[in-house]
Amino acid sequence: MPVIPLPALHASHAGTWLRDGNCETRGCSKGEAINAAADTPVLMLNAPLVATRLGYPDLSGLDLLELYAFVHPARFCVPTPKGLAHALDLVEPADDAAVPELLQRAAGKLLETCKSIDWTEREGAWSVLQSLARLRWPWAGVLAPHVAKPERAERWLFARLPEWEEAPERPQPAQVMLGEAEVAAQLDRLTGEDAEQREGQRAYAQDVAKVFMARDKRSLPHVLLAQAGTGIGKTLGYLAPASLWAEKSQGTVWVSTYTKNLQRQLRRESRRAWPASRADGSQPVVVRKGRENYLCLLNLEDALQGGFAGRPAILAQLVARWAAYSADGDMIGGDLPGWLGTLFRKRGIAALTDQRGECIYAGCPHYRKCFIERAARASAQADLVIANHALVMVNAARGRHQGQPPTRVIFDEGHHVFDAADSTFAAALTGAEAIELRRWIVGPEKGNRGRRRGLAARLADVASYDEAGGAAVEEAVDAAGQVPSDGWLGRIAEGQPLGPVEALLGQVRALAYARDESGAQDAGYGIETEIASLPGALIEAAQAAGTALAAIRGPLMKLGQRLEAVLEDAPDWLGGQERARIEGARHSLRWRIDLLSAWEALLARLGGPADPDFVDWFAVERGDMREFDIGIHRHWLDPMKPFAHIVLEPAHGVMLTSATLTDRSETGEDWQGAIEASGAPHLELQPLTSSAQSPFDYAVRAEVLIVTDIARGDLAAMAGAYGRLIEAANGGVLGLFTAIKRLRAVYGRIADRLARAGLPLYAQHVDPIDIGTLTDIFRDDRKASLLGTDALRDGVDVPGESLRCVVMEAVPWPRPTILHRARRAASGGGAYDDRIIRARLAQAFGRLIRSREDAGHFVMLSPAFPSRLLSAFPPGTPVIRLTLDEALKRVAAGPPSGDREGESGLHTPREESHDR
Ligand code: SF4
């Protein structure tokens, strides 16, 4: 194995190590490391992370991850020394000091691969390397001697990608019955004939089958709320009836998830029911996401041809390498490594997707190869579409479907449907939103690179053919000049707003500062104030802004009518492709017109009485003492009301399922909250309910430890507790926080000490690494620990030894926002808060025991944890109130195993039972 004789650098919280070209490794100071990297190209792994560790943001070098992305695009690699060693089949480094040598070996192995005839990702590499050399990519010179020029011209990315085919629309599904015996047989087939039969799973599958019954009344779907405790085998439990129905009816089932994790799991498990492809090459299972997730080939082409400069241009070349080998072009959570974007800053990735609906559809030269179009067409022919809650709701609201709209929908992670509906059906007139609209209409402002084009450029041919259409475009462009443009925040802060919308936002900001009493102003957090007793000047400003918005909406509506007329009375040049493009433009217009109408309604309300269905407020978004948006917000008091009418009503069968659907109050499972939160009552519909208890033995495998001697707000004590608990558990701790500020403070105090003890600590909001990659790193190293906030509380699935202990900093009270206050008042006051907290505790606890073999501690740092919240934990789980020292002994003794009493040094200080 060749070792590349380039200096290599590794920095962790435990120290810094340099290996020189003569293969000698030594510890060094941070300053020495920075100087070495400045003098000569140095091998390193994850340069932004090394830069953070050294406290020197401008660090650059030969990043092994960039080389890996070039040599093995679309291949998974955990971006740590250990992960790289595994990905390349090298020996894991024994300690930090061994990492620089590993980097040299890894570089050698990757360069050797480029020479090998077995290199499966060779095609396109030489051409991309020539471009990367022109961009002065640090690796280009090192790679050049190893990547041979192909004898024949290589197929370039756009030639390499397959074209999608049009297919006839599927007929509507047949109305079929699913018999009990056939559902049971299908479940046996999916789980394997020899698998142990799980009664809970069998009963669950039979309940799910009821969702697929024929509907008797219009607008009254079958709705099932199914609680399935962890370990029931919920996924196969619903895939069994779903796949049977799809087969018998020739219809499509949609399964909607909240996390990417579950999407991946579903894709895996669906293989048991469906083959990867049908005999005709089409896919029976398709993953669908919002279009902003996929690579837009036109944006990529533009970036490759000079639209990007500097580091983003290098990223574009590496993305082009990936796109040629990607399964589906999904840039967020697909096979593009999550870490690639963070090596080059996230915005680079976002700029390559279609963020703002600028797609020109059939007018695009890559339309027939477009990943987004391919996924949309494939889903119209699929038996199973795996989507997410937001996409299902947005598509239903905008009425845009390729093929039949979804009529059988399973919302897994159903406890998130309320939150997803809350954000989908909300409206916000903010500066950032308004500027997006302006750009969509007018195009980029001066000085911006790239292909982003305005309405006039996108519809140039229609405008020149149809005079009235052309005039409407011009009118819209003129009117859009009245909404915020670049630099709006600065102008507002200086009291120099431009145009009526900026003027309004200036008044909104002033009022929010004048009235906010939350204390967030001084702490640097965002501030908000309810919309009440508004000054006359603000109401006048709102009227002027409303008039300005209406002046944009008018010509957009006119343009929509002209496009319709062009389609009806089609000119000769209007072929199928042009027609599709105009259809696409009409859809985008509709979306903007609806947005403007919602904004106008919001402004009209400012002078008048409040609408009891909505909660409205002004907000200034801030972070790290810096303002980043100002606006007016409107949320439904109950977002399940629009959900019921838009999603439930047109469907024939809908299920919401989760391990934490119901509230576990002190009196037992409470279905009332779950029924209300399903939207069913808005259709005067009584949903079916079903409950399957987890088969896990929580009484034996888990302990809840409530540490009573860490005072709330004592940051030093809290950091000390986290550090000692991680040491006691020897890593494998997931630390959950409700405030980023406290997370950062705790991390800053303990990371170095733990690293010196060989216990790496990673943290969301601190490490320049996305959550998915952080979880991969945590899962891959049983000595690692991870700190994070909400997204980790119920989005992490780490079965096995890597997660042995969950530590929560405090009772997860809901944030006392204006929206929360309104919902609390409407839904039972303190009891509403308790429901939210119990749900959060149940989700956090759910991270601990993911499989029958899992065991561990759930530690709560809370001197006065209310007993009424204990029912959040599964029945039978031992709950012990104790001091930190006592908790440390229990954690250090290892995960519970059921025969712990009587072990030396262990006793049960105060155990509470909440068996019911
Ligand atoms: S069809 Fe639209 S999304 Fe697809 S590559 Fe072209 S512009 Fe991008």
Side-chain angles (χ1 to χ4, degrees):
M1 171 69 47
V3 170
I4 294 300
L6 283 166
L9 165 65
H10 172 61
S12 79
H13 278 292
T16 309
W17 290 266
L18 252 180
R19 185 172 172 88
D20 56 29
N22 299 325
C23 297
E24 274 178 31
T25 306
R26 62 190 171 83
C28 68
S29 69
K30 290 182 179 178
E32 231 180 309
I34 293 165
N35 288 337
D39 287 348
T40 168
V42 174
L43 297 174
M44 58 182 86
L45 185 73
N46 195 344
L49 187 66
V50 176
T52 309
R53 300 283 186 255
L54 295 179
Y56 185 73
D58 292 332
L59 193 78
S60 63
L62 293 163
D63 194 331
L64 263 301
L65 290 180
E66 290 180 28
L67 179 62
Y68 186 89
F70 176 86
V71 179
H72 295 309
R75 265 207 228 178
F76 181 76
C77 172
V78 177
T80 57
K82 187 178 157 194
L84 183 69
H86 286 186
L88 296 177
D89 218 2
L90 296 171
V91 179
E92 255 182 52
D95 51 25
D96 276 324
V99 173
E101 185 183 343
L102 168 79
L103 300 186
Q104 291 180 331
R105 288 188 184 283
K109 177 100 188 235
L110 285 165
L111 295 178
E112 200 182 55
T113 301
C114 297
K115 283 195 158 163
S116 152
I117 48 163
D118 300 329
W119 184 22
T120 44
E121 298 103 333
R122 175 184 297 281
E123 190 172 40
W126 184 84
S127 310
V128 168
L129 188 58
Q130 307 316 301
S131 304
L132 284 166
R134 284 193 289 279
L135 294 167
R136 299 178 194 281
W137 185 42
W139 278 108
V142 183
L143 267 165
H146 301 266
V147 180
K149 184 175 180 183
E151 284 169 15
R152 274 179 290 139
E154 296 181 306
R155 273 190 307 164
W156 172 225
L157 162 68
F158 300 104
R160 205 176 184 279
L161 293 173
E163 293 197 340
W164 47 259
E165 304 283 340
E166 283 290 7
E169 203 168 289
R170 278 187 145 192
Q172 60 170 310
Q175 302 295 334
V176 296
M177 290 286 292
L178 301 185
E180 253 184 57
E182 54 184 347
V183 171
Q186 179 75 344
L187 182 61
D188 286 344
R189 191 171 80 73
L190 301 197
T191 52
E193 302 286 342
D194 303 333
E196 154 201 10
Q197 287 204 348
R198 294 193 261 181
E199 280 319 309
Q201 188 185 39
R202 295 173 78 79
Y204 175 79
Q206 297 295 349
D207 285 339
V208 178
K210 295 174 189 153
V211 168
F212 295 98
M213 292 186 301
R215 178 173 89 165
D216 289 339
K217 281 197 185 137
R218 201 173 164 200
S219 304
L220 274 190
H222 298 292
V223 175
L224 170 69
L225 309 182
Q227 171 135 305
T230 316
I232 278 291
K234 160 166 65 80
T235 314
L236 291 181
Y238 61 68
L239 284 182
S243 55
L244 191 62
W245 179 82
E247 186 189 330
K248 290 180 77 171
S249 73
Q250 293 296 292
T252 306
V253 178
W254 284 60
V255 177
S256 177
T257 75
Y258 191 72
T259 61
K260 294 182 190 109
N261 219 353
L262 183 59
Q263 286 203 340
R264 262 182 255 161
Q265 186 194 329
L266 263 163
R267 202 202 284 243
R268 245 188 350 258
E269 302 228 8
S270 66
R271 294 271 176 266
R272 294 175 186 233
W274 289 276
S277 62
R278 302 190 184 104
D280 64 0
S282 63
Q283 291 171 268
V285 178
V286 171
V287 175
R288 258 315 276 287
K289 296 187 171 181
R291 43 190 312 124
E292 66 285 356
N293 286 274
Y294 295 93
L295 174 67
C296 164
L297 293 170
L298 194 56
N299 280 351
L300 176 64
E301 184 183 38
D302 179 63
L304 296 174
Q305 291 177 352
F308 280 16
R311 290 278 293 161
I314 293 173
L315 171 66
Q317 294 291 341
L318 293 178
V319 168
R321 279 283 288 149
W322 160 79
Y325 294 91
S326 169
D328 57 7
D330 176 4
M331 300 190 87
I332 324 276
D335 51 18
L336 182 79
W339 39 260
L340 189 64
T342 42
L343 297 183
F344 293 85
R345 309 220 186 293
K346 260 257 147 36
R347 283 185 59 77
I349 294 285
L352 293 172
T353 59
D354 180 33
Q355 290 282 319
R356 283 187 277 135
E358 289 176 315
C359 175
I360 47 174
Y361 299 92
C364 168
H366 311 301
Y367 184 58
R368 293 294 309 279
K369 293 170 182 254
C370 173
F371 288 116
I372 303 169
E373 295 298 321
R374 188 167 354 139
R377 271 161 190 80
S379 71
Q381 303 296 324
D383 293 343
L384 175 71
V385 178
I386 303 169
N388 59 50
H389 297 352
L391 180 77
V392 171
M393 293 182 204
V394 168
N395 275 1
R398 296 192 188 145
R400 185 165 168 85
H401 296 288
Q402 198 87 39
Q404 306 278 353
T407 52
R408 271 68 176 188
V409 189
I410 292 171
F411 288 96
D412 199 341
E413 299 180 304
H415 58 284
H416 279 300
V417 167
F418 185 94
D419 288 342
D422 194 24
S423 44
T424 303
F425 301 117
L429 168 51
T430 74
E433 294 280 336
I435 209 166
E436 284 293 302
L437 176 78
R438 179 196 174 106
R439 286 184 191 142
W440 182 79
I441 296 172
V442 179
E445 289 169 59
K446 282 196 198 84
N448 283 355
R449 304 169 70 106
R451 111 186 143 82
R452 307 278 183 205
R453 282 174 289 182
L455 205 50
R458 292 201 300 272
L459 290 175
D461 51 354
V462 178
S464 62
Y465 165 78
D466 184 85
E467 203 178 316
V473 171
E474 269 176 37
E475 235 181 284
V477 170
D478 271 358
Q482 297 292 303
V483 300
S485 54
D486 280 352
W488 68 280
L489 269 171
R491 283 194 295 277
I492 286 178
E494 286 160 14
Q496 305 281 335
L498 209 63
V501 180
E502 283 188 21
L504 170 66
L505 295 177
Q507 300 235 20
V508 164
R509 175 180 182 270
L511 200 75
Y513 275 101
R515 293 189 177 174
D516 173 71
E517 296 183 55
S518 67
Q521 274 188 51
D522 299 332
Y525 297 140
I527 53 172
E528 54 180 31
T529 187
E530 65 207 274
I531 298 180
S533 312
L534 297 182
L538 197 149
I539 295 171
E540 278 168 28
Q543 282 163 354
T547 308
L549 296 177
I552 305 173
R553 187 168 51 87
L556 291 187
M557 288 175 68
K558 225 183 289 169
L559 179 59
Q561 288 158 4
R562 290 314 309 155
L563 294 182
E564 206 174 320
V566 169
L567 286 174
E568 272 172 21
D569 188 12
D572 298 344
W573 53 265
L574 200 77
Q577 302 244 322
E578 285 74 23
R579 182 172 278 278
R581 180 163 61 88
I582 294 177
E583 287 288 1
R586 275 181 66 209
H587 166 70
S588 309
L589 270 176
R590 184 77 259 151
W591 168 13
R592 265 61 191 209
I593 290 166
D594 289 349
L595 180 71
L596 283 160
S597 304
W599 286 354
E600 287 172 55
L602 195 50
L603 294 181
R605 171 259 181 275
L606 294 193
D611 183 331
D613 267 345
F614 295 101
V615 185
D616 302 330
W617 71 94
F618 294 155
V620 180
E621 314 285 338
R622 303 193 308 164
D624 293 331
M625 302 301 274
R626 203 175 56 85
E627 290 177 11
F628 53 87
D629 205 2
I630 301 168
I632 307 165
H633 297 261
R634 160 166 282 194
H635 279 233
W636 283 84
L637 183 63
D638 179 5
M640 300 314 285
K641 191 170 180 179
F643 174 85
H645 295 296
I646 293 170
V647 180
L648 290 185
E649 208 175 305
H652 289 235
V654 175
M655 171 169 82
L656 274 69
T657 187
S658 160
T660 54
L661 208 55
T662 63
D663 179 31
R664 272 195 296 250
S665 71
E666 286 166 295
T667 50
E669 246 173 30
D670 175 8
W671 276 101
Q672 200 44 42
I675 292 171
E676 277 162 22
S678 71
H682 293 294
L683 300 183
E684 292 180 11
L685 182 160
Q686 185 59 37
L688 302 164
T689 60
S690 142
S691 183
Q693 297 297 330
S694 168
F696 298 157
D697 191 352
Y698 292 104
V700 169
R701 313 291 298 174
E703 276 179 357
V704 175
L705 307 179
I706 300 178
V707 173
T708 53
D709 56 348
I710 303 295
R712 204 173 161 192
D714 185 344
L715 211 57
M718 187 200 287
Y722 267 95
R724 292 175 69 196
L725 283 162
I726 291 171
E727 282 164 350
N730 202 21
V733 173
L734 176 68
L736 297 173
F737 289 78
T738 48
I740 296 172
K741 204 169 163 185
R742 284 195 296 277
L743 178 155
R744 287 191 175 137
V746 166
Y747 177 88
R749 284 169 193 246
I750 62 174
D752 287 4
R753 185 181 101 204
L754 291 171
R756 285 194 290 275
L759 298 170
L761 181 65
Y762 296 90
Q764 188 195 356
H765 310 293
V766 178
D767 289 314
I769 304 174
D770 65 289
I771 294 183
T773 308
L774 279 174
T775 312
D776 289 337
I777 294 173
F778 179 53
R779 189 180 290 122
D780 196 48
D781 184 352
R782 74 181 299 281
K783 295 196 101 181
S785 294
L786 176 60
L787 307 183
T789 50
D790 294 5
L792 290 178
R793 192 181 57 226
D794 67 351
V796 172
D797 184 18
V798 182
E801 282 237 299
S802 292
L803 202 173
R804 305 182 286 282
C805 180
V806 174
V807 182
M808 259 191 130
E809 59 148 342
V811 176
W813 302 103
R815 270 184 57 221
T817 59
I818 286 170
L819 180 61
H820 172 256
R821 188 181 67 190
R823 289 190 178 145
R824 187 179 192 273
S827 318
Y832 175 71
D833 282 356
D834 286 355
R835 276 209 301 277
I836 293 177
I837 300 168
R838 278 194 290 262
R840 290 178 178 177
L841 288 171
Q843 286 150 14
F845 179 86
R847 302 307 101 212
L848 191 61
I849 311 290
R850 308 299 300 164
S851 71
R852 211 177 276 273
E853 293 72 39
D854 274 6
H857 291 99
F858 184 88
V859 182
M860 196 68 225
L861 305 180
S862 169
F865 186 89
S867 295
R868 65 178 189 282
L869 302 177
L870 289 176
S871 53
F873 304 113
T877 314
V879 179
I880 307 163
R881 291 184 195 258
L882 69 192
T883 63
L884 177 63
D885 284 340
E886 288 163 340
L888 289 168
K889 276 188 201 152
R890 297 192 86 84
V891 171
S897 59
D899 47 18
R900 298 275 302 276
E901 289 316 313
E903 284 176 36
S904 64
L906 285 184
H907 68 287
T908 303
R910 274 177 60 204
E911 186 155 349
E912 296 173 46
S913 165
H914 61 284
D915 281 348
R916 292 178 296 275

